[in-house]
């Protein structure tokens, strides 16, 4: 194994953050021979899945469980335990990542209770200098360490988005962002106004119902779409998405992105109507509110939100006009809520990946590419909502030395996506997949800006890092070396014909079954990422369990989840 990687640089890598994204990056980079050190300010692994009382740190609530199943949401070469339910709890996910770190000997590369307080770049030596500090013993002297490459993996949900509310200084109750909402039991017998309606608010509402909040009101400007994890017939909706269906969606996008988004939004609405027909007549879905633009319709995944509306536990009001008194709020339709104890802002979080980086490497710095950022409205650039990156994760300014994990999303569950992304990053930095010219890198980053600008013309875009094209997924798989697209649906490839002929059962499961995370470790990579010998068995087992999901399982699932709420 050589001592140098791409760009003729060394293999000392610093990873900032040891949540799921930082852990999988550490694991995949060490597998390719990099000397990795990850820094985590907390005393344990897990990122936001680790519950904490620190109101400055994002974490899940005690009642949180996953939207994606353990079959699609696990890491590519490490299944979740058989004892876990289909949708694991937050505690189980945190334990899973602790186990993952042990299974791949990652823990020895992680420095817990160590905060990175400064990052500088030495131009003379082309190295990163990180100043770190112990969070356990802050009186200890700071330490400066030198690395050749740097991965920022501080997460997709770090910086709270706080809306401006007229008259908020008049309010005498508690105003908090969901990031600071840690202990729902404090709000028993309280009247709470929740601002915003998405997965976080649905989770918070479930928790507040569970502890006996006195009154719950949710303020939302738009109509919403809510879909359950398991429909009323006891079928897990995620299991209906197959590789074939995913290819059809990609094909529709190739015809027209707006058309594809419209069709998908319509299908989400049909799912809501089929599962919650009473909701159509509820105030929350009244015609005076409109759905967001089709490309911005992100369904709320919840199994009890609709029932809270329908059965009267949750009231719906439009957007806030102003705070009018110590405990009163007026809404845009002129109505008013009185005796409100708490305003809970479920108004979103965003990455803060560039906050510690020198300005000349900051992917949110509009001065580095005024023309590239200039195609976007100021509301996207002034508030650092858009990162200018090559393929959504590689620095434009220092592609061989700097990467950011958490800025993009695609048509894969997040854990699966960032396992794939970090596999690709490892292959690029080893030099196994050469980077294009600097001109092409900048052209790619600016093309993403233009794509976003075109979407903005059809309505506001909340998630600015969407990489939803088939070309992107194909590129990631090619660079990582999964050889997925050489084996599935590509009848010009001999690999596809051989798999279809020699292992028809597996081929049919791969294309017509659930989109198992382990597909990405199934095929020999011919010198790229490691294949996993257990992938075929794990894929077949996941499909067998999915096809054998019964009414009895559904009853058990309801008893575990519907009473608890979810996220």
């Amino acid at each position: 194994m050589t001592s140098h990687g791409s760009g003729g640089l060394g293999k000392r890598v610093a990873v900032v953050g040891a949540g799921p994204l930082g852990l999988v990056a550490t694991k995949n980079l060490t597998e390719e021979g990099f000397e990795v050190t990850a820094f985590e300010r907390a005393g344990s692994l897990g990122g936001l899945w680790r519950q904490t009382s620190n109101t400055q740190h994002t974490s899940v609530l005690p009642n949180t469980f996953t939207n994606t199943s353990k079959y699609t949401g696990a890491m590519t070469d490490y299944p979740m335990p058989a004892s876990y339910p289909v949708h694991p709890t937050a505690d189980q996910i945190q334990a899973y990542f602790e186990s993952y770190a042990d299974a791949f000997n990652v823990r020895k590369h992680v420095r817990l209770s160590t905060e990175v307080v400064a990052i500088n770049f030495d131009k003379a030596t082309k190295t990163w200098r990180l100043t770190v500090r112990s969070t356990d013993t802050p009186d200890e002297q700071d330490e400066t360490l030198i690395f050749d490459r740097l991965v920022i993996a501080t997460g997709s949900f770090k910086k709270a988005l706080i809306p401006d509310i007229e008259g908020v200084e008049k309010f005498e109750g508690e105003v908090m962002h969901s990031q600071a909402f840690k202990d729902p039991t404090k709000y028993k017998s309280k009247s709470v106004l929740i601002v915003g309606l998405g997965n976080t608010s649905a989770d918070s509402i479930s928790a507040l119902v569970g502890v006996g909040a006195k009154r719950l009101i949710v303020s939302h400007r738009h109509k919403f779409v809510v879909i359950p994890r398991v429909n009323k017939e006891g079928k897990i909706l995620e299991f209906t998405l197959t590789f074939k269906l995913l290819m059809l969606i990609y094909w529709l996008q190739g015809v027209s992105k707006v058309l594809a988004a419209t069709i998908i939004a319509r299908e989400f609405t049909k799912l809501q109507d089929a599962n919650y027909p009473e909701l159509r007549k509820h105030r929350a879905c009244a015609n005076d509110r409109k759905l967001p633009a089709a490309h911005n319709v992100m369904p709320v995944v919840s199994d009890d939100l609709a029932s809270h509306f329908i059965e009267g536990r949750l009231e719906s009001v439009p957007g806030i006009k102003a705070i009018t008194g110590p405990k009163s709020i007026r809404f845009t339709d002129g109505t008013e809520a009185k005796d409100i104890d708490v305003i809970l802002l479920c108004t979103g979080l965003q990455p803060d990946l560039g906050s510690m980086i020198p300005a000349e490497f900051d992917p949110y710095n509009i001065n580095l590419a005024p023309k590239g950022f200039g195609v976007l409205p100021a509301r996207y650039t002034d508030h650092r909502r858009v990162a200018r990156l090559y393929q959504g994760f590689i620095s434009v300014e220092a592609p061989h030395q700097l990467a950011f994990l958490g800025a993009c999303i695609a048509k894969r569950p997040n854990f699966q996506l960032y396992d794939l992304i970090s596999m690709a990053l490892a292959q690029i930095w080893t030099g196994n997949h050469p980077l294009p010219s600097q001109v092409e890198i900048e052209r790619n980053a600016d093309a993403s800006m233009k794509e976003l600008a075109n979407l903005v013309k059809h309505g506001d875009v909340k998630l600015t890092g969407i990489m939803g094209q088939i070309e992107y997924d194909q590129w990631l798989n090619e660079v990582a070396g999964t050889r997925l697209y050489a084996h599935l649906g590509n009848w010009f490839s001999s690999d596809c014909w051989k798999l279809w002929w020699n292992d028809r059962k597996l081929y049919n499961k791969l294309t017509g079954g659930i989109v198992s995370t382990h597909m990405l470790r199934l095929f020999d990579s011919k010198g790229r990422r490691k294949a996993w010998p257990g992938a075929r068995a794990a894929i077949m087992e996941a499909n067998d369990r999915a096809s054998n999901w019964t009414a009895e399982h559904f009853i058990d699932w309801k008893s575990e989840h519907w009473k608890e709420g979810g996220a």
Side-chain angles (χ1 to χ4, degrees):
M1 222 170 253
T2 63
S3 59
H4 291 81
S6 68
L9 299 164
K11 289 192 168 184
R12 297 170 298 178
V13 182
V15 176
V16 183
L21 308 193
L23 279 178
V24 73
T26 300
K27 179 260 187 188
N28 284 331
L29 286 164
T30 54
E31 275 190 349
E32 295 300 325
F34 289 92
E35 302 168 29
V36 184
T37 304
F39 300 95
E40 171 57 52
R41 65 183 177 181
S44 58
L45 306 173
L48 64 81
W49 294 96
R50 178 192 60 251
Q51 294 176 44
T52 175
S53 59
N54 189 323
T55 58
Q56 302 300 310
H57 295 181
T58 306
S59 64
V60 295
L61 289 169
N63 66 309
T64 302
F65 50 93
T66 62
N67 287 340
T68 53
S69 78
K70 66 178 182 178
Y71 304 118
T72 63
M75 291 306 185
T76 57
D77 50 1
Y78 195 67
M80 292 191 188
S83 60
Y84 279 19
V86 172
H87 297 96
T89 66
D91 286 343
Q92 288 170 328
I93 293 296
Q94 204 270 335
Y96 168 75
F97 281 109
E98 294 276 359
S99 175
Y100 176 85
D102 291 333
F104 293 101
N105 206 19
V106 173
R107 197 180 294 274
K108 70 178 183 180
H109 298 282
V110 181
R111 289 184 57 172
L112 296 172
S113 301
T114 305
E115 183 176 12
V116 177
V117 294
I119 298 174
N120 294 288
F121 186 73
D122 187 323
K123 293 181 181 179
T125 60
K126 294 184 178 179
T127 56
W128 296 101
R129 293 178 177 269
L130 273 64
T131 303
V132 302
R133 179 180 302 158
S134 170
T135 57
D136 282 342
T137 52
D139 293 336
E140 282 189 8
Q141 187 173 355
D142 292 351
E143 184 180 2
T144 298
L145 303 166
I146 299 173
F147 296 92
D148 304 300
R149 306 170 197 264
L150 175 63
V151 177
I152 303 296
T154 49
S156 304
F157 308 103
K158 185 177 181 183
K159 184 180 178 181
L161 299 175
I162 309 293
D164 293 325
I165 300 176
E166 182 183 338
V168 70
E169 70 282 355
K170 300 176 184 176
F171 192 70
E172 294 182 357
E174 184 177 3
V175 180
M176 74 166 82
H177 192 274
S178 59
Q179 187 181 53
F181 183 55
K182 305 296 185 184
D183 183 3
T185 60
K186 292 181 179 179
Y187 304 99
K188 181 180 180 180
S189 303
K190 300 285 187 180
S191 294
V192 183
L193 172 69
I194 300 100
V195 180
L197 188 51
N199 286 326
T200 299
S201 49
D203 192 31
S204 301
I205 289 162
S206 296
L208 289 165
V209 169
V211 300
K214 179 181 179 181
R215 183 186 183 193
L216 294 174
I217 309 170
V218 61
S219 167
H220 56 111
R221 298 180 183 277
H222 299 284
K223 277 187 182 180
F224 63 94
V225 176
V226 58
I227 59 174
R229 295 170 182 80
V230 178
N231 68 16
K232 64 181 182 181
E233 297 171 350
K235 295 180 180 179
I236 296 178
L237 291 179
E238 177 193 291
F239 291 171
T240 63
L241 179 65
T242 65
F243 184 82
K244 288 179 181 177
L245 180 56
L246 190 57
M247 292 305 102
L248 176 60
I249 293 170
Y250 279 137
W251 178 82
L252 278 172
Q253 285 186 318
V255 174
S256 167
K257 290 184 175 63
V258 174
L259 174 63
T262 301
I263 292 172
I264 292 169
R266 190 175 298 157
E267 290 303 309
F268 282 143
T269 302
K270 286 181 181 179
L271 281 171
Q272 173 178 280
D273 290 345
N275 285 279
Y276 309 115
E278 305 98 323
L279 201 57
R280 281 179 288 185
K281 299 178 181 179
H282 193 275
R283 173 75 183 86
C285 295
N287 289 329
D288 59 341
R289 289 190 182 98
K290 302 296 181 185
L291 277 173
H295 63 266
N296 209 24
V297 173
M298 302 295 290
V300 180
V301 181
S302 174
D303 304 290
D304 56 8
L305 179 66
S307 66
H308 292 325
F309 276 125
I310 294 164
E311 296 170 17
R313 292 182 291 274
L314 178 64
E315 303 170 45
S316 169
V317 296
I320 295 175
K321 176 69 174 176
I323 307 294
T324 55
K327 288 198 172 185
S328 58
I329 299 104
R330 181 175 295 125
F331 304 102
T332 54
D333 63 352
T335 59
E336 195 168 44
K338 298 181 182 296
D339 299 320
I340 299 299
D341 301 302
V342 182
I343 298 176
L344 177 59
L345 303 173
C346 295
T347 47
L349 297 118
Q350 68 181 32
D352 191 24
L353 299 171
S355 60
M356 291 188 294
I357 296 292
E360 61 266 33
F361 300 103
D362 182 357
Y364 301 90
N365 184 354
I366 60 177
N367 296 320
L368 295 179
K371 288 185 178 179
F373 283 102
V375 300
L376 294 167
R379 67 182 183 275
Y380 289 90
T381 56
D382 290 351
H383 298 287
R384 297 172 63 83
R385 291 176 60 188
V386 182
R388 181 174 179 263
L389 297 165
Y390 174 63
Q391 298 290 15
F393 64 96
I394 294 175
S395 168
V396 173
E397 289 70 33
H400 294 288
Q401 293 191 267
L402 180 60
F404 300 88
L405 303 184
C408 72
I409 60 172
K411 290 183 178 65
R412 291 185 180 277
N414 240 25
F415 298 161
Q416 184 184 137
L417 172 65
Y418 279 96
D419 199 340
L420 180 59
I421 282 176
S422 58
M423 286 185 228
L425 177 64
Q427 296 305 316
I428 289 170
W429 279 0
T430 57
N432 288 339
H433 187 93
L435 283 165
S437 67
Q438 185 63 28
V439 171
E440 181 55 34
I441 286 173
E442 298 204 16
R443 185 182 294 123
N444 173 274
D446 289 338
S448 295
M449 296 288 196
K450 291 176 182 176
E451 183 76 19
L452 177 59
N454 288 332
L455 284 177
V456 170
K457 293 176 183 177
H458 301 280
D460 186 52
V461 178
K462 291 182 179 179
L463 301 174
T464 60
I466 295 177
M467 309 290 282
Q469 310 90 336
I470 189 172
E471 292 81 8
Y472 183 68
D473 199 62
Q474 288 172 331
W475 179 84
L476 281 177
N477 279 273
E478 177 189 352
V479 176
T482 70
R483 300 180 66 232
L484 184 70
Y485 284 96
H487 286 84
L488 301 183
N490 182 1
W491 300 112
F492 296 102
S493 167
S494 60
D495 290 325
C496 182
W497 281 106
K498 287 176 184 176
L499 179 64
W500 179 82
W501 183 260
N502 294 325
D503 199 341
R504 191 77 52 85
K505 184 177 181 181
L506 175 61
Y507 184 88
N508 289 338
K509 293 295 185 185
L510 292 173
T511 57
I514 65 175
V515 186
S516 166
T517 183
H518 309 303
M519 293 164 68
L520 299 177
R521 294 278 182 176
L522 176 62
F523 303 112
D524 177 63
S525 64
K526 295 185 176 179
R528 298 286 179 98
R529 66 92 181 94
K530 284 187 177 180
W532 176 44
R536 187 189 189 281
I539 291 166
M540 300 304 287
E541 180 183 356
N543 276 280
D544 288 345
R545 288 184 178 275
S547 61
N548 290 326
W549 180 268
T550 65
E552 182 181 351
H553 293 131
F554 182 43
I555 292 170
D556 292 341
W557 187 92
K558 284 198 297 184
S559 68
E560 291 173 2
H561 293 77
W562 280 13
K563 300 299 183 183
E564 297 288 337

